[in-house]
Amino acid sequence: MLGLQLAGVDVSFPGLAAPALAIDSLSVTAGSRVALTGASGSGKSTLISILTGLERAGQGRVLWGGVDICALSEGGRDRWRGANIGLVLQDFHLFPGLSALENVLLPARLSGAMTRDVGARAEHLLLRVGLARPTQMIETMSRGEMQRVAIARALLRKPGVVIADEPTASLDSDAGDAVGDLLLELSTESGCTLIVATHELALSRRMDRRIRLAAGRIVEDGVIEERAA
Amino acid sequence: MIGFILADLRRLWAGSLVVVLLVALATALGVAVTLQERALRLGSARAADKFDLVIGAPGSETQLVLSSIFLQPSPLPLMEGTVLPRLLADPRVASAAPVGFGDSFGGYAVVGTSTGLVGELEQLAEGRVFAALGEAVAGAAVDLPIGYAVKPTHGFAELGGHAHTELAYRIVGRLKPTDTAWDRAILVPMQAVWALHGMAAAEHQDADGHDDHPHDETAPGAEVDHPHIDADAVLDEDWSKATPGLPAILVKPKSIADAYKLRQDYRSNMTLAVFPGEVLTNLYATLGDAKRVLVGVTTGAQVLVAAAILLVTILHVGQRRRQIGALRAFGAPRTAVLVIVWSELFALTAAGVLIGFALGFGAAKLIAGYLSGESGVAMPVMFTAGDGFLVSAILAFAACLAMLPAVLAYRQSPAAALRA
């Protein structure tokens, strides 16, 4: 479980006058569930790139549980991300030609974090997300099933944070609901912080807190009182 | 990691197959050219090895060697027959044997010579040496049984030669394989060749003008009125009696020093003496330029293939940006990405290179087999230590080439790749 302290972050892209992201300060309590909303181009994706360390903020500090990931080298950020962040993306980014189980295990294998426990946990997670056949090839699965494999993969190494970028946007509503349920349930079960970028109201309403971005700035930040049952 | 690489290659099997085939064919081309050239050179050098010194009439050295060692059918000028007894009497000569060409039978050259050369070439595999005018010894690769009657044709049948009806040789023996062109020859007594061509010793005395260039004869009637030749006449190998003109004499000197002295003594306006090895070396020097052109062409082809593969892989890495970005996003280290891209490409090129070497070897074997069948000269297709170096060099080059797309992938920003 990791908390976030973000200070003085400023991201600009060459050729653009306005910064893509300008956040003076933002803190997220460890274990909380945060929805990130905003129109396309509002800076959601940039913020997620910064939070996951995929991109380095030009200015400012991004502290996850006391570690400033802006100070890490590129390889160091890869390692840190692999160990601490579970990532779920809109397009799944699963690898065809591999089974569901192999897909779940691939990042751990590539970063040399493979143990027997990790293997057992992968099978358990696949069952938990409702997939009974771990050896099924990924390309034979439905989109809803693929996103569930992606969730199992995100949780494999017991990350402190799960970050999902539009996890339901490419799914039909039933599959999307199931994925939303799983994200909330599993992050609660494993006690990790959950940050979900989404513009689906139904999903964002189920979170503890909603942050709305516009033109790279936080324009709304509030605790949600009313929760969907 | 290996599972991922294999899955990746399986997914891209068609493209992978094309890359492997391209590399294999380009490699095979180079390997076949190198091996074939080497086989030709080694084979002809070994074939010439059996013959130390060749003496003929003044003319083309190359032609003398091609005709006497490789039995190429083409007319040679004749030298005085008296050269042979003079050589035989020379203390520096271990053995000397006349050779007379011009006739053939079913694609095999019928070569007139002495019993001495038969023993000199190789031992007999079966039968015995010819002892009468109408007897013959077949080379190892001559597909005719002992006892078969050979009716020689003047020249080669396919070149419009005419049959000699006066005499049929009976095959009485067969040589062991020598791996030279002589394996495809039928050896007959020199005296019979003279007789067939109207150059019998007796006639020689009074028919000088007629006999100067018997092999160049074009008038079909010229040989019609030959007297009957007695096939059972016992051979008389006393060459000191008047000897008709000879196209070539194969000489075995007693020592290397003798060989050089003999060559010097017999280079005059009457005769020409050559070391076949030396003539071949000169020939290779000429062919060397041709080889360089061939090697240049194959190298060009290989460079084109390398460039094509490089282009394909760079485009391929571009197309895989998202996949590579995702690998990084999910925590795969950059080095893992580097290793994946590099090993996929290197595995394909290495497989192509190895298959190419096998293909090239096979092709060279096939060509050499065909050429050997045609000429009788064994063509040893083989790799040398230098080829091992070549393989390593090619593989090292492939490894460097594969680094380029791998580094491109390594340097890619995962966030940018995912956005793409």
Side-chain angles (χ1 to χ4, degrees):
Chain A
M1 194 184 299
L2 290 174
L4 171 71
Q5 295 290 330
L6 194 140
V9 167
D10 196 321
V11 180
S12 310
F13 291 121
L16 290 179
L21 197 64
I23 297 175
D24 291 336
S25 123
L26 172 67
S27 69
V28 173
T29 329
S32 63
R33 304 187 290 186
V34 180
L36 211 55
T37 65
S40 302
S42 60
K44 282 192 317 249
S45 294
T46 309
L47 180 55
I48 282 182
S49 293
I50 297 294
L51 293 181
T52 53
L54 283 170
E55 232 161 334
R56 193 197 293 259
Q59 270 182 353
R61 289 186 304 157
V62 180
L63 283 151
W64 277 108
V67 177
D68 184 1
I69 61 170
C70 292
L72 296 175
S73 69
E74 184 144 10
R77 268 181 290 141
D78 282 350
R79 269 194 302 281
W80 176 86
R81 187 184 325 114
N84 296 291
I85 293 209
L87 199 56
V88 178
L89 300 174
Q90 177 177 348
D91 298 329
F92 326 134
H93 289 288
L94 296 162
F95 300 97
L98 300 178
S99 69
L101 182 65
E102 285 169 327
N103 260 289
V104 171
L105 289 173
L106 183 67
R109 282 192 170 140
L110 288 182
S111 42
M114 191 59 199
T115 62
R116 187 174 303 184
D117 287 351
V118 171
R121 182 169 159 79
E123 296 198 30
H124 167 76
L125 277 168
L126 279 173
L127 280 176
R128 176 66 187 82
V129 298
L131 297 169
R133 285 172 52 206
T135 53
Q136 190 181 351
M137 295 311 274
I138 208 73
E139 56 268 30
T140 65
M141 294 184 143
S142 72
R143 298 179 70 80
E145 288 172 320
M146 287 188 190
Q147 194 61 299
R148 283 187 268 159
V149 173
I151 291 172
R153 173 176 64 186
L155 289 162
L156 180 67
R157 291 174 69 188
K158 298 183 181 164
V161 199
V162 168
I163 296 181
D165 188 5
E166 300 286 3
T168 58
S170 60
L171 304 177
D172 61 46
S173 62
D174 285 351
D177 288 347
V179 162
D181 289 346
L182 279 172
L183 276 173
L184 287 161
E185 287 168 20
L186 285 167
S187 60
T188 311
E189 274 172 31
S190 58
C192 58
T193 312
L194 176 67
I195 296 178
V196 180
T198 181
H199 48 255
E200 285 193 26
L201 259 139
L203 182 57
S204 61
R205 279 202 185 121
R206 295 168 72 182
M207 313 296 260
D208 303 328
R209 179 180 170 191
R210 184 166 57 190
I211 297 170
R212 194 157 72 86
L213 289 175
R217 291 169 200 282
I218 294 172
V219 291
E220 198 183 314
D221 186 352
V223 175
I224 299 164
E225 302 294 342
E226 169 214 0
R227 277 206 206 150
Chain B
M1 168 115 53
I2 288 172
F4 178 76
I5 290 173
L6 289 181
D8 229 24
L9 292 179
R10 254 201 315 277
R11 195 163 51 87
L12 307 165
W13 67 270
S16 308
L17 197 68
V18 169
V19 168
V20 170
L21 277 182
L22 267 178
V23 175
L25 290 180
T27 313
L29 185 66
V31 169
V33 165
T34 311
L35 286 181
Q36 191 51 49
E37 188 270 341
R38 182 183 298 153
L40 213 60
R41 194 158 34 82
L42 277 179
S44 52
R46 282 183 193 174
D49 246 12
K50 297 228 170 233
F51 307 94
D52 297 317
L53 184 67
V54 180
I55 294 176
S60 158
E61 294 189 355
T62 312
Q63 193 54 57
L64 180 59
V65 170
L66 286 180
S67 292
S68 60
I69 310 291
F70 298 104
L71 301 177
Q72 289 295 312
S74 61
L76 277 182
L78 301 185
M79 67 186 146
E80 278 289 320
T82 50
V83 177
L84 181 57
R86 213 164 74 222
L87 275 168
L88 285 168
D90 197 311
R92 296 168 297 187
V93 172
S95 71
V99 278
F101 333 99
D103 290 345
S104 73
F105 177 77
Y108 304 117
V110 173
V111 184
T113 183
S114 66
T115 51
L117 181 73
V118 176
E120 202 65 53
L121 266 174
E122 195 61 59
Q123 286 158 330
L124 288 172
E126 54 176 328
R128 56 177 176 81
V129 179
F130 48 73
L133 215 52
E135 292 181 337
V137 171
V142 173
D143 191 20
L144 297 173
I146 299 268
Y148 191 89
V150 174
K151 277 208 167 75
T153 306
H154 188 65
F156 274 79
E158 57 263 41
L159 300 177
H162 60 93
H164 288 295
T165 50
E166 314 89 299
L167 179 63
Y169 300 107
R170 200 162 52 81
I171 295 177
V172 297
R174 183 183 305 283
L175 285 168
K176 282 186 180 164
T178 60
D179 285 347
T180 68
W182 288 67
D183 282 356
R184 287 180 56 83
I186 298 168
L187 277 56
V188 301
M190 190 68 213
Q191 293 86 340
V193 175
W194 278 326
L196 273 181
H197 295 89
M199 299 166 62
E203 280 175 46
H204 185 68
Q205 306 294 345
D206 46 37
D208 243 353
H210 169 77
D211 289 335
D212 270 330
H213 297 286
H215 290 264
D216 291 336
E217 274 175 299
T218 44
E223 290 181 297
V224 169
D225 53 346
H226 289 321
H228 175 71
I229 298 164
D230 181 8
D232 298 324
V234 176
L235 277 187
D236 175 11
E237 288 205 335
D238 181 1
W239 307 103
S240 60
K241 294 179 187 167
T243 311
L246 276 170
I249 300 171
L250 303 179
V251 179
K252 201 168 230 6
K254 280 190 173 139
S255 69
I256 293 177
D258 291 337
Y260 278 91
K261 277 186 215 132
L262 280 167
R263 186 181 63 147
Q264 198 172 7
D265 289 357
Y266 283 86
R267 281 174 100 87
S268 64
N269 52 7
M270 299 291 289
T271 55
L272 174 72
V274 296
F275 295 144
E278 198 178 76
V279 173
L280 284 178
T281 308
N282 287 337
L283 208 54
Y284 297 146
T286 318
L287 290 179
D289 296 334
K291 187 204 169 191
R292 219 165 298 146
V293 171
L294 266 180
V295 168
V297 169
T298 49
T299 310
Q302 285 158 349
V303 167
L304 277 180
V305 167
I309 287 168
L310 203 59
L311 179 73
V312 166
T313 45
I314 288 174
L315 288 177
H316 173 64
V317 167
Q319 281 171 347
R320 284 177 67 180
R321 282 185 69 184
R322 281 168 66 78
Q323 188 205 28
I324 291 165
L327 281 175
R328 292 277 308 280
F330 294 115
R334 290 169 97 186
T335 44
V337 169
L338 182 89
V339 171
I340 284 170
V341 174
W342 181 84
S343 20
E344 281 183 15
L345 189 55
F346 182 69
L348 292 184
T349 34
V353 166
L354 295 181
I355 292 173
F357 261 78
L359 274 182
F361 184 76
K365 266 275 194 224
L366 218 66
I367 298 170
Y370 173 74
L371 290 180
S372 293
E374 288 285 294
S375 67
V377 177
M379 307 261 174
V381 174
M382 53 187 173
F383 290 112
T384 64
D387 296 332
F389 176 75
L390 185 68
V391 178
S392 329
I394 293 177
L395 288 182
F397 178 68
C400 293
L401 210 63
M403 261 329 265
L404 193 66
V407 167
L408 276 183
Y410 179 85
R411 292 169 57 94
Q412 231 169 56
S413 147
L418 281 178
R419 269 201 300 273

